[in-house]
Amino acid sequence: MSEGLAYQQLTPSGMGALLPWNPGTSVQDLARQARAAALDSGCALVRGIDLGEDDFKLLVRSLGDRADHRFGEGQADLLKLDASRDKGKVVTGRGPLPLHTDGLLVGSRVDLIILYAADFADTPGSGETYVSDQLTAWDEMPEHLRRVLDEHELEYLVTERGYFPTVPEDWYTIPATRDHGRVKSLNLATAFPPDVEQRSWEVRVKGMAQERSDGFFAQLDAFLRSERYAYKHRWQVGDLLIIDNQRTLHGRTAIGEGGTRVLFRGQLTLSDAA
């Protein structure tokens, strides 16, 4: 990889950068260049990298400070998203994950999310990660959707207690926007599809009738995942995807019945000067 190249963007809105990979590049140089591209464009994709667990941890440490970890599994420098078949596993399981902000439910600041495909084999459309250019989408959002976010509060009920053991057991309110000094952005998670039985969380608009609230989240999700704003990534072994959690939202399609999907995940917090 070299500085100053005009990288291929990943969405029509201009989000994302596809970076070329030079096998002679050190892990530290890879971290520096991919971090710069992710912070500039929302996410950076590099393909064909061979990383073991120790290499991945070195990459994560080279990118920034590990996020304040408050989850029931893994660590901030390495969590294996292994498509578990264990009953009750959602985040590390096989079902879909709606668009969301990492750290939202536990009140933890996460600036960068690092995902690496250690093993992957699934049918097209399954086990894919999608990333939404939420800043552009928010700026271009229809007024009827924007008004709800501006004038109402959002409430969450966490149902996957094993993964989120420290959060309130009843419904609780989380602000719909956040600003850690680098960029003001949406701070939310959308709803699981109605036909999905295993869910990590429930979300509603506080004080709004359930049917209307459900309709709002369905429309919001469709808008944020429209072709203009959303990039859907079909994994290959060796893919590295670094996501700016302040500029984007991300989610996952369900993993196929016979699919294999093992991603290493790291979470980082950057200094305010970053």
Side-chain angles (χ1 to χ4, degrees), residues 6-10 16-20 37 41 43-47 231 233:
Y7 297 118
Q8 176 183 331
Q9 297 173 335
L10 301 179
L18 176 61
L19 308 181
S41 67
C43 68
L45 171 63
V46 190
R47 313 197 86 152
Y231 167 67
H233 182 64

Side-chain angles (χ1 to χ4, degrees), residues 16-263:
L18 176 61
L19 308 181
W21 165 240
N22 180 350
T25 303
S26 69
V27 170
Q28 292 88 342
D29 283 345
L30 168 64
R32 177 177 57 83
Q33 296 175 40
R35 165 179 154 152
L39 293 177
D40 181 60
S41 67
C43 68
L45 171 63
V46 190
R47 313 197 86 152
I49 306 171
D50 184 13
L51 295 177
E53 291 187 23
D54 289 340
D55 292 328
F56 182 80
K57 290 180 179 180
L58 175 59
L59 174 72
V60 171
R61 292 194 297 269
S62 299
L63 283 162
D65 299 323
R66 291 186 302 173
D68 180 18
H69 189 76
R70 303 180 188 176
F71 303 97
E73 298 184 42
Q75 295 297 323
D77 60 354
L78 177 58
L79 168 67
K80 289 185 181 180
L81 302 171
D82 58 0
S84 171
R85 295 182 183 276
D86 292 348
K87 185 178 177 61
K89 294 289 184 69
V90 182
V91 172
T92 59
R94 305 185 67 83
L97 283 182
L99 283 170
H100 63 279
T101 300
D102 268 15
L104 170 81
L105 298 174
V106 296
S108 178
R109 174 178 171 178
V110 176
D111 286 303
L112 289 180
I113 305 160
I114 303 92
L115 297 173
Y116 174 74
D119 195 6
F120 184 84
D122 207 345
T123 55
S126 299
E128 298 179 351
T129 295
Y130 49 93
V131 185
S132 174
D133 179 6
Q134 63 137 309
L135 292 187
T136 304
W138 190 18
D139 184 57
E140 299 176 357
M141 187 173 290
E143 182 61 27
H144 71 283
L145 296 178
R146 178 187 294 274
R147 189 182 308 116
V148 174
L149 296 174
D150 288 343
E151 298 177 0
H152 295 265
E153 294 181 307
L154 304 184
E155 293 183 310
Y156 297 85
L157 176 66
V158 171
T159 52
E160 190 180 6
R161 304 299 308 181
Y163 190 80
F164 299 104
T166 63
V167 302
E169 296 184 6
D170 203 349
W171 290 91
Y172 62 107
T173 301
I174 299 175
T177 63
R178 68 194 186 282
D179 187 347
H180 294 304
R182 184 160 59 87
V183 61
K184 183 176 181 180
S185 54
L186 295 174
N187 185 57
L188 53 80
T190 58
F192 280 76
D195 60 342
V196 173
E197 294 184 4
Q198 285 197 319
R199 306 180 184 192
S200 194
W201 63 80
E202 303 281 353
V203 59
R204 67 188 183 190
V205 180
K206 187 175 182 178
M208 184 177 287
Q210 189 65 52
E211 184 176 356
R212 186 182 169 201
S213 177
D214 292 345
F216 163 74
F217 280 108
Q219 292 179 54
L220 179 66
D221 180 75
F223 176 73
L224 291 170
R225 290 202 290 131
S226 62
E227 184 177 352
R228 171 165 171 76
Y229 310 114
Y231 167 67
K232 186 177 287 187
H233 182 64
R234 175 161 175 76
W235 290 98
Q236 298 176 23
V237 173
D239 284 356
L240 176 71
L241 186 62
I242 300 179
I243 301 170
D244 185 341
N245 193 49
Q246 306 303 330
R247 300 175 66 92
T248 68
L249 299 165
H250 66 284
R252 175 185 80 211
T253 61
I255 293 120
E257 179 61 30
T260 298
R261 185 184 192 267
V262 180
L263 302 186

